[in-house]
Amino acid sequence: MSNMPPLRIFLDTEFTSFNGPLLISFALVAETSQALYLERAEGWSLEDCSDFVVETVLPLLGPPEQRANDLMIRWAVRSWFHSLDCETIICTDCLYFDEPLFKSLFTDRMNLWPAGLDQRFLEFDSPVVDVIIEKKGLRQHHALDDAIALKTAYLLKSEF
C-alpha cells in the first residue's frame, strides 16, 4: 500500500437498546462517498428492542426479505473494502457502541476481517451532524443517513 494516509470510513449503527445492544443495521460511508448499507436478518428480535427503537428505528428499515444474514454481510463488507483498494480506518461518533457492534460481525471470524481496514477505530463527533440531517432532509436514526451526515460534518471541519 502507499504512503497516503488511510481513507476515512464513517460508520453508524442502529441497535436494539442501550441495555444489551444487538446490531440491527449499519452503514459505512467513505470520504470519497462510496457507501455500504446493510440490515441484519438475524442476531436480534423485536423482543430485544427498546420502545424507542420500535417507534423510531424499525419503521426506517426496509422489508425483512431484503435483510442479510451475517455470512452475507461479512462477504459484502470484505468485498466493499476490497473495492476501495487502499488502507482505511473507521471513524464513528460513538466508539462505545459502534466499534463493538460492528466488530461483533467478525467475532470468532477475525481471519475474515477486511484487508486494509485498521482494527483501531477513531471517534469524531460534531454538533453539526444534527444540523446537516435537518438541512439535507435526512432520516435521523437511519444508519446510512446518519453516516452521510457524519462524513459531511467531518469534511466541513476539514475545510476550516
Side-chain angles (χ1 to χ4, degrees):
M1 305 271 174
S2 72
N3 291 333
M4 298 285 296
L7 178 69
R8 290 181 189 269
I9 308 296
F10 297 89
L11 167 69
D12 189 71
T13 65
E14 300 301 335
F15 50 90
T16 54
S17 69
F18 289 123
N19 185 19
L22 300 169
L23 184 64
I24 296 173
S25 65
F26 68 93
L28 298 162
V29 177
E31 287 177 87
T32 49
S33 295
Q34 298 96 320
L36 176 68
Y37 171 73
L38 292 164
E39 297 174 1
R40 287 180 80 204
E42 61 189 12
W44 67 278
S45 69
L46 184 60
E47 293 76 31
D48 298 317
C49 297
S50 69
D51 291 343
F52 173 82
V53 170
V54 170
E55 295 165 8
T56 307
V57 175
L58 298 185
L60 300 176
L61 298 178
E65 59 272 10
Q66 293 180 358
R67 296 177 189 155
N69 66 37
D70 288 355
L71 178 66
M72 293 166 46
I73 289 172
R74 282 190 294 275
W75 180 86
V77 168
R78 287 172 49 92
S79 296
W80 188 77
F81 276 100
H82 180 74
S83 75
L84 297 175
D85 195 30
C86 63
E87 294 292 325
T88 55
I89 191 162
I90 289 180
C91 297
T92 178
D93 62 356
C94 184
L95 281 176
Y96 185 80
F97 287 106
D98 292 340
E99 182 177 7
L101 286 166
F102 181 78
K103 286 182 174 179
S104 73
L105 293 167
F106 295 92
T107 300
D108 299 330
R109 300 217 175 27
M110 286 309 285
N111 60 315
L112 298 178
W113 187 257
L117 174 58
D118 196 317
Q119 289 188 37
R120 297 167 298 154
F121 288 29
L122 302 175
E123 189 165 46
F124 170 74
D125 194 11
S126 169
V128 176
V129 170
D130 291 335
V131 174
I132 292 166
I133 287 171
E134 185 178 327
K135 289 233 182 241
K136 290 186 171 253
L138 299 172
R139 300 162 292 178
Q140 190 168 33
H141 304 298
H142 184 278
L144 180 57
D145 287 2
D146 288 347
I148 289 169
L150 186 63
K151 176 203 78 149
T152 304
Y154 178 81
L155 294 177
L156 286 172
K157 173 205 77 78
S158 300
E159 291 179 5
F160 295 102

